[in-house]
């Protein structure tokens, strides 16, 4: 019976000096590992503050007037630009129902901004462009490019955008002929939440500090943690080899 | 071997001479990439024949004659699946910082594996994971159950890989996805059957080199071409991430464009890099749960654990993990580069929604990189899937022939019969996996992550407690396995019912807290706790087992 007790093993109750050293080494390394991974993410979570993009601040400044129909042309231009800054985000491709709301807002405000005499023409032009877009085999189609450039040339100045800017390039791709005349009540109730969702981000000093070109938190997680993992493994092997040789343990 | 390399080099040279310049994101047959892919597959089969298995020891454990660095390369190659090569960039491309949970989860687990298990597993001296479980818990039933679990894990893991193979064959050959899966599966089956693990291990070393070279070359080209620090693209892309956050104003006024002629710039998109950004729909809890589940799963995957049996000594098993993790990290430092460039290059709405699982290849195409380099990249993706699939098929076949057939059904089976059963199991598994892969049930990374959570809830607790606590006994193991299995079944039932539009009670609650990719965050701790409690309440582990643990495993 006494002999049986000698053959009990527990990580937390080492029976030999070697086991005790091994346990301590494992505990130290696992602690470093856990704190480095989960501790940092918890710190990131604790320090984060919902931070709006400039476009959201602009949107919130003008939205009430736009909603009540009291917005000046300047406010409408600001509104259009802020909506366009969300429409240009590629993440929106995975949320077509939200994109529809924003397309409605953008198309409506552009239609509202152009001269009354040009409204019908604009709608016709966009309808033709949409048809052309569906029929082309390559994006290098000359007629398609010409139609696109024409719309940019007409609308970019209305929105006070540089014709070569990214936002200007988005105009023909985001305007919808069927959504121009009316900004639906339902979409009006949704837009504030959508703008807030896409233009508010969890930021802190850890995300805003640049290190080797990276946002610091990104560098830490994507690069440093992997270096740390390899280092921890190397340290463990090195120390355990030394412990084995000191204890006379063979590795056969 | 030298002759094989010369043939390969000649084939490779021929493909460069017959370079095709036409590149489309999808659809057409691509001559240069096709020749590269076929050359690499021929090389794999030739290597498989050259280093073929001669008996069961060779088939299961490569004769235990592989060096530490070689074994590290094999670990890395075995590990770097289609999920790492294709799926990880896809996750970061779609969900930004959330995708880094997979990078950390799929590397951090190796630290646990090394310091808690690697040396001890090798010292225990068994061939397979079910072999260890059956022996340690002195239970034929547990051996059989764990063999079935190992097969399920292999199948789940393989389905994702076969999907990746199908996707790349489809892209290169311009053929139908179903036909692409059939062709790819047939080649994997052929050389796994011919070579066994000895050939597979040699192949894995070659595959590692191909995977890494094919993955890294486009990064140097892209960082150089788009004017970032190209000497170390894995650092240089930091500025790409910052530019994505800051948006258009951050980009220099140059004529840099993608292959559609869109300006190399993007509207400010901080959601790409900010933690658990609301726009991605992912939360802090999910980040932590995924990381934790993937890490435990890493230390519980039978085909990963099995690699420690192919090194001569416990010391080699430990050092092979260090090398393996280093080799893996090279790929994991690189994958986010593709996602970041892909984000900018595909930012125009004209590019449309791209298949995320192929974003690595699309990014290279959009970056207007030479078609042959893109072809090599696709071939690397296929190699990554192949190397993992071969290891999984061997692990699954071993579980069937060794742990179920030899140890449970027919203990008198000769080594020749066992080898035949292993090959039969490989064929059966390939057919089953091929059939499921054709259904396109989920994304590559989703299926693979599921396999990790399954392993973390079932195999991991049995190994952890089996090695480190002699008090863990058969009844405790069965109870723990039952609890881990129950959590798995609940999670998967809700997931599958959700897929088919069926709402079960508390559907939202269960699918969020027990998501199919991370249910192990609670399942694994519960399984461990149950194992401990039941073990403490029941009779002690037999004397012989405890003696073996003390004298052989922890000596």
């Amino acid at each position: 019976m006494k002999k049986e007790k000698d053959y009990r093993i527990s990580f937390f109750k080492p029976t030999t000096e070697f086991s005790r050293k091994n346990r301590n080494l494992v505990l130290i390394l696992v602690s470093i590992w856990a704190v480095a991974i989960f501790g940092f993410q918890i710190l990131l979570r604790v320090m984060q503050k919902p931070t709006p993009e400039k476009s959201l601040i602009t949107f919130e400044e003008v939205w009430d007037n736009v909603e009540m129909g009291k917005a000046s042309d300047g406010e409408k231009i600001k509104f259009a630009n802020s909506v366009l800054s969300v429409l240009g985000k590629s993440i929106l491709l995975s949320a077509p129902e939200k994109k529809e709301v924003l397309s409605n807002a953008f198309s409506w405000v552009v239609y509202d901004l152009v001269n009354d005499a040009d409204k019908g023409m604009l709608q016709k032009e966009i309808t033709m462009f949409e048809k052309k877009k569906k029929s082309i085999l390559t994006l290098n189609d000359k007629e398609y490019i010409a139609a696109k450039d024409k719309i940019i040339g007409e609308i970019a100045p209305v929105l006070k955008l540089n014709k070569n800017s990214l936002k200007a390039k988005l105009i023909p791709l985001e305007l919808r002929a069927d959504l121009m005349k009316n900004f639906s009540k339902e979409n009006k109730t949704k837009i504030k939440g959508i703008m807030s969702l896409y233009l508010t981000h969890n930021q802190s000093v850890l995300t805003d500090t640049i290190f080797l070109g990276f946002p610091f938190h990104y560098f830490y997680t994507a690069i440093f943690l992997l270096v740390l993992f390899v280092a921890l493994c190397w340290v463990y092997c090195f120390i355990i080899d030394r412990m084995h040789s000191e204890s006379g343990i063979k590795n056969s | 071997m030298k002759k094989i390399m010369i043939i390969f080099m000649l084939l490779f040279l021929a493909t460069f001479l017959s370079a095709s310049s036409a590149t489309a994101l999808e659809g057409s047959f691509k001559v240069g990439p096709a020749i590269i892919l076929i050359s690499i597959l021929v090389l794999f089969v030739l290597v498989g024949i050259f280093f073929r298995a001669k008996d069961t020891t060779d088939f299961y454990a490569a004769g235990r004659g592989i060096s530490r660095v070689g074994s590290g390369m094999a670990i890395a190659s075995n590990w770097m699946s289609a999920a790492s090569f294709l799926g990880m960039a896809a996750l970061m491309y779609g969900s930004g910082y959330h995708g880094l949970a997979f990078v950390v989860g799929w590397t951090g687990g190796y630290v646990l594996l090394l310091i808690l298990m690697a040396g001890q597993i090798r010292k225990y001296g068994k061939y397979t994971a079910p072999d260890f479980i059956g022996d340690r818990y002195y239970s034929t039933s547990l051996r059989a159950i764990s063999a079935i679990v190992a097969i399920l894990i292999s199948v789940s893991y393989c389905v994702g890989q076969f999907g990746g193979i199908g996707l790349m064959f489809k892209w290169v050959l311009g053929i139908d996805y179903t036909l692409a899966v059939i062709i790819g599966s047939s080649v994997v089956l052929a050389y796994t059957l011919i070579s066994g693990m000895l050939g597979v291990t040699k192949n894995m070393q070659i595959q590692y080199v191909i995977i890494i070279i094919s993955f890294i070359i486009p990064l140097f080209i892209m960082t150089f071409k788009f004017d970032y620090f190209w000497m170390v693209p894995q650092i240089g892309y930091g500025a790409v991430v910052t530019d994505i956050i800051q948006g258009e104003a951050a980009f220099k006024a140059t004529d840099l464009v993608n292959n559609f002629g869109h300006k190399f710039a993007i509207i400010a998109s901080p959601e790409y890099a900010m933690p658990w950004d609301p726009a991605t729909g992912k939360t802090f809890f999910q980040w932590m749960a995924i990381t934790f589940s993937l890490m435990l799963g890493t230390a519980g995957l039978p085909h990963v654990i099995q690699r420690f049996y192919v090194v001569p000594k416990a010391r080699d098993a430990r050092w092979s993990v260090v090398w393996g993790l280093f080799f893996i990290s090279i790929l994991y430092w690189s994958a986010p580069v593709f996602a970041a460039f892909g984000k900018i290059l595909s930012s125009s709405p004209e590019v449309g929604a791209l298949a995320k699982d192929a974003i690595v290849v699309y990014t290279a195409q959009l970056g207007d990189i030479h078609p042959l380099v893109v072809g090599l990249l696709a071939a690397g993706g296929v190699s990554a899937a192949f190397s993992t699939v071969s290891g999984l098929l061997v692990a699954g076949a071993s579980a069937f022939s060794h742990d179920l057939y030899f140890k449970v059904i027919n203990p008198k089976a000769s080594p020749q019969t066992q080898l035949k059963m292993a090959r039969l199991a490989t064929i059966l598994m390939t057919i089953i996996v091929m059939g499921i892969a054709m259904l396109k049930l989920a994304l590559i990374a989703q299926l693979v992550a599921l396999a990790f959570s399954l392993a973390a809830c079932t195999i991991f607790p049995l190994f952890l407690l089996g090695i480190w606590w002699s008090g863990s006994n058969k009844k405790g193991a069965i109870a723990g396995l039952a609890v881990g299995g129950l959590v798995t079944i609940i999670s998967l039932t809700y997931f599958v019912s959700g897929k088919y539009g069926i709402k079960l009670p508390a559907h939202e609650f269960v699918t969020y807290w027990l998501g199919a990719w991370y249910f192990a965050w609670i399942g694994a701790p519960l399984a461990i706790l149950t194992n401990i409690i039941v073990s403490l309440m029941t009779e002690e582990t037999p004397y012989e087992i405890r003696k073996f643990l003390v004298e052989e495993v922890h000596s």
Side-chain angles (χ1 to χ4, degrees):
Chain A
M1 195 64 193
K2 191 185 172 189
K3 206 172 185 179
E4 280 196 32
K5 281 182 183 173
D6 293 338
Y7 288 118
R8 287 195 178 92
I9 273 191
S10 169
F11 176 77
F12 293 103
K13 289 178 185 171
T15 51
T16 64
E17 182 59 15
F18 178 84
S19 304
R20 193 185 61 76
K21 281 184 182 175
N22 184 54
R23 179 204 62 185
N24 293 345
L25 177 64
V26 169
L27 286 177
I28 290 167
L29 294 180
V30 168
S31 303
I32 294 170
W33 171 87
V35 170
I37 301 167
F38 300 109
F40 180 79
Q41 305 306 324
I42 291 167
L43 184 68
L44 210 51
R45 177 79 177 79
V46 169
M47 290 179 71
Q48 75 182 31
K49 280 182 185 167
T51 309
E53 282 184 50
K54 278 182 188 171
S55 298
L56 182 61
I57 297 166
T58 307
F59 170 83
E60 286 175 344
E61 281 170 4
V62 300
W63 171 240
D64 286 346
N65 284 347
V66 172
E67 190 182 20
M68 289 185 289
K70 293 178 185 173
S72 65
D73 279 0
E75 287 175 321
K76 284 175 188 167
I77 289 168
K78 283 183 178 177
F79 174 75
N81 272 291
S82 62
V83 172
L84 201 53
S85 64
V86 180
L87 275 169
K89 288 176 185 278
S90 56
I91 197 166
L92 211 65
L93 285 171
S94 56
E97 71 292 346
K98 293 189 175 83
K99 193 174 169 69
E100 174 98 359
V101 173
L102 296 175
S103 292
N104 185 191
F106 181 67
S107 302
W108 167 79
V109 76
V110 168
Y111 186 79
D112 192 64
L113 278 166
V114 296
N115 297 326
D116 287 347
D118 298 333
K119 286 187 196 300
M121 192 65 192
L122 174 69
Q123 195 174 20
K124 203 175 168 185
E125 202 174 345
I126 298 300
T127 308
M128 295 286 284
F129 178 75
E130 284 170 348
K131 278 185 187 166
K132 183 74 195 163
K133 196 177 163 191
K134 280 179 188 165
S135 68
I136 55 166
L137 297 172
T138 163
L139 291 174
N140 294 326
D141 186 289
K142 284 181 182 171
E143 284 181 29
Y144 172 73
I145 292 172
K148 205 166 59 170
D149 288 344
K150 190 166 180 284
I151 296 168
I152 295 170
E154 288 166 4
I155 307 298
V158 175
L159 299 179
K160 299 199 184 319
L161 288 171
N162 181 323
K163 285 178 191 173
N164 292 317
S165 69
L166 260 190
K167 275 189 181 174
K169 305 270 182 203
L170 289 171
I171 293 170
L173 305 170
E174 303 300 349
L175 281 174
R176 292 264 303 270
D178 60 327
L179 300 173
M180 281 184 159
K181 288 192 173 170
N182 177 38
F183 186 14
S184 73
K185 206 173 177 181
E186 191 191 351
N187 286 345
K188 276 185 183 171
T189 58
K190 289 178 183 171
I191 193 167
K192 209 173 173 184
I194 294 171
M195 293 294 281
S196 176
L197 179 70
Y198 288 99
L199 293 172
T200 308
H201 311 285
N202 298 319
Q203 290 180 245
S204 67
V205 67
L206 295 171
T207 62
D208 297 345
T209 304
I210 302 297
F211 182 76
L212 290 176
F214 287 89
F216 177 76
H217 76 293
Y218 201 96
F219 172 83
Y220 180 92
T221 307
I223 308 288
F224 172 75
L225 277 181
L226 274 61
V227 175
L228 180 74
F229 296 154
V230 177
L232 287 175
C233 289
W234 190 90
V235 166
Y236 175 77
C237 285
F238 181 79
I239 294 176
I240 212 80
D241 276 359
R242 207 174 58 185
M243 280 165 58
H244 277 159
S245 103
E246 281 171 3
S247 311
I249 295 172
K250 288 179 184 174
N251 275 291
S252 57
Chain B
M1 187 63 196
K2 277 180 186 171
K3 282 179 187 171
I4 293 171
M5 290 309 290
I6 290 166
I7 293 167
F8 176 68
M9 292 306 287
L10 286 173
L11 278 168
F12 197 75
L13 190 66
T15 60
F16 260 95
L17 294 174
S18 62
S20 159
S21 61
T23 305
L25 287 188
E26 276 291 351
S28 59
F29 177 80
K30 300 167 186 72
V31 181
I35 296 173
I36 291 179
L37 180 61
I38 292 164
S39 308
I40 288 172
L41 295 180
V42 168
L43 176 75
F44 290 166
V45 175
L46 289 176
V47 172
I49 293 168
F50 200 79
F51 294 98
R52 63 181 300 177
K54 293 173 189 69
D55 52 36
T56 41
T57 309
D58 272 354
F59 189 85
Y60 294 133
R64 291 185 174 160
I66 307 296
S67 72
R68 282 181 208 172
V69 178
S71 185
M73 274 189 172
I75 284 174
S77 174
N78 187 28
W79 180 258
M80 293 183 328
S81 66
S84 304
F85 198 98
L86 303 171
M88 216 158 45
L91 286 161
M92 277 174 277
Y93 175 78
S95 312
Y97 189 81
H98 179 77
L100 290 180
F102 288 79
V103 174
V104 176
W106 277 334
T107 49
Y110 270 94
V111 180
L112 285 184
L113 188 60
L114 171 67
I115 64 180
L116 294 175
M117 291 181 186
Q120 288 78 8
I121 289 170
R122 178 65 191 87
K123 279 184 177 179
Y124 208 98
K126 296 294 169 187
Y127 280 133
T128 65
D131 216 9
F132 168 87
I133 292 165
D135 200 77
R136 167 62 184 84
Y137 293 102
Y138 45 99
S139 165
T140 309
S141 313
L142 266 176
R143 182 194 300 274
I145 293 167
S146 58
I148 291 165
V149 170
I151 292 168
L152 287 175
I153 290 168
S154 290
V155 166
S156 169
Y157 211 130
C158 271
V159 171
Q161 308 310 318
F162 277 41
I165 291 169
L167 209 62
M168 289 298 102
F169 269 63
K170 177 176 175 269
W171 179 85
V172 173
L173 303 177
I175 56 173
D176 175 61
Y177 173 79
T178 307
L179 184 60
V181 171
I182 293 170
I183 293 172
S185 310
S186 307
V187 181
V188 173
L189 178 64
Y191 98 92
T192 306
L193 283 178
I194 292 166
S195 62
M197 195 181 257
L198 186 60
V200 169
T201 303
K202 281 289 171 196
N203 251 334
M204 283 176 173
Q205 293 164 13
I206 294 165
Q207 280 162 345
Y208 176 77
V209 174
I210 291 170
I211 290 167
I212 280 298
I213 287 175
S214 67
F215 206 66
I216 287 178
I217 287 174
L219 301 185
F220 282 103
I221 298 171
M222 278 194 294
T223 41
F224 179 78
K225 189 173 178 178
F226 293 107
D227 205 17
Y228 289 95
F229 177 62
W230 62 271
M231 294 178 82
V232 188
Q234 292 83 354
I235 295 294
Y237 89 97
V240 183
V241 175
T242 303
D243 286 351
I244 292 171
I245 294 169
Q246 292 174 353
E248 190 178 4
F251 292 87
K252 296 162 197 166
T254 60
D255 295 329
L256 294 172
V257 291
N258 69 6
N259 73 330
F260 288 131
H262 299 129
K263 190 180 169 188
F264 183 77
I266 189 170
I267 295 284
S269 304
E271 66 276 5
Y272 177 74
M274 293 307 147
W276 32 92
D277 195 277
T280 63
K282 310 295 182 191
T283 64
F284 170 72
F285 160 72
Q286 286 173 319
W287 201 101
M288 301 291 258
I290 287 172
T291 307
F292 186 69
S293 299
L294 295 180
M295 287 199 238
L296 296 195
T298 304
L301 283 174
H303 77 286
V304 172
I305 292 169
Q306 207 155 317
R307 294 240 47 96
F308 298 122
Y309 303 128
V310 303
V311 288
K313 299 174 186 173
R315 184 168 183 254
D316 293 335
R318 288 192 295 270
W319 279 104
S320 69
V321 176
V322 182
W323 282 107
L325 182 57
F326 173 70
F327 290 135
I328 289 166
S329 294
I330 293 174
L331 186 110
Y332 281 43
W333 280 315
S334 306
V337 190
F338 279 100
F341 273 106
K343 200 72 188 169
I344 299 174
L345 290 165
S346 69
S347 65
S348 169
E350 278 184 327
V351 177
L354 298 174
K356 292 187 186 101
D357 276 336
I359 196 64
V360 164
V361 174
Y362 290 152
T363 297
Q365 275 187 286
L366 286 165
D368 212 9
I369 288 174
H370 193 281
L372 281 182
V373 178
V374 185
L376 183 63
L377 183 64
V382 173
S383 299
F386 265 51
S387 57
T388 306
V389 165
S390 55
L392 287 164
L393 288 178
V394 168
S398 306
F400 178 77
S401 69
H402 185 77
D403 301 301
L404 272 179
Y405 183 75
F406 177 59
K407 295 282 182 177
V408 180
I409 300 167
N410 181 12
K412 289 177 184 172
S414 66
Q416 286 76 19
T417 312
Q418 284 182 60
L419 194 59
K420 272 184 193 168
M421 293 310 294
R423 287 181 172 155
L424 179 69
T426 308
I427 295 168
L428 282 174
M429 278 181 66
T430 306
I431 293 168
I432 292 166
V433 170
M434 196 170 70
I436 301 172
M438 283 176 190
L439 299 174
K440 280 190 184 176
L441 288 174
L443 291 172
I444 298 170
Q446 289 173 322
L447 288 162
V448 171
L450 192 154
F452 274 73
S453 265
L454 175 57
C457 283
T458 52
I459 307 285
F460 173 75
L462 296 176
F463 268 82
L464 182 75
L465 293 172
I467 288 168
W468 287 106
W469 185 43
S470 59
S472 176
N473 61 22
K474 182 167 81 175
K475 286 179 181 166
I478 291 170
L481 193 60
V483 169
L486 183 67
V487 173
T488 305
I489 289 166
I490 292 171
S491 171
L492 295 189
T493 305
Y494 272 79
F495 168 67
V496 173
S497 65
K499 278 264 170 193
Y500 291 96
I502 302 163
K503 291 266 178 186
L504 297 172
H507 198 89
E508 300 297 324
F509 179 84
V510 176
T511 48
Y512 179 73
W513 293 102
L514 284 182
W517 333 129
Y518 52 82
F519 57 84
W521 77 272
I522 187 74
L526 278 178
I528 291 170
L529 197 64
T530 308
N531 188 323
I532 292 170
I533 292 168
V534 175
S535 294
L536 287 172
M537 291 165 67
T538 50
E539 67 271 19
E540 199 171 16
T541 305
Y543 173 76
E544 292 74 23
I545 305 277
R546 286 185 282 129
K547 187 180 177 192
F548 183 79
L549 277 173
V550 172
E551 290 187 345
E552 300 297 330
V553 181
H554 290 281
S555 65

